[in-house]
Amino acid sequence: MSTETRADASVHNPIVIDEALCIRCNLCDWICPGDIIYKIENDKTTMPEVVYPDECWYCGLCQSTCPTEAITIVFPEVMINNKSDVVRLLGKIVD
């Protein structure tokens, strides 16, 4: 992918937080290993923010730790319907 094409492409947001379900507990901010989510500490008036969506590892820790199930991990289409074969990805056939 060329640099031009990449700059024009919008960044996929992998972490969707339901504002109606979120209790603003800070757990998602604390658990995220990539520091993707930011939440003002001890402020129940602010929502957690996905500040670095392009750096998300899709690990699902934020989703699994959320006590109200307010977080959903959304995988991009290219990850769900990957057409690359194993030889191309790994360089060898895996038995």
Side-chain angles (χ1 to χ4, degrees), residues 60-79:
L61 285 172
C62 57
Q63 182 176 350
S64 65
T65 198
C66 182
T68 61
E69 298 182 359
I71 297 176
T72 303
I73 301 296
V74 180
F75 292 88
E77 188 67 27
V78 71
M79 289 176 81

Side-chain angles (χ1 to χ4, degrees), residues 15-18 22-41 46-50 59-68 70-73:
I15 304 167
V16 177
I17 304 171
D18 185 332
C22 180
I23 59 172
R24 294 144 177 88
C25 65
N26 288 77
L27 287 176
C28 57
D29 181 10
W30 294 336
I31 199 75
C32 180
D35 206 20
I36 310 304
I37 301 172
Y38 173 74
K39 168 78 178 73
I40 297 173
E41 192 83 24
T46 60
M47 283 288 295
E49 294 180 52
V50 181
C59 68
L61 285 172
C62 57
Q63 182 176 350
S64 65
T65 198
C66 182
T68 61
I71 297 176
T72 303
I73 301 296

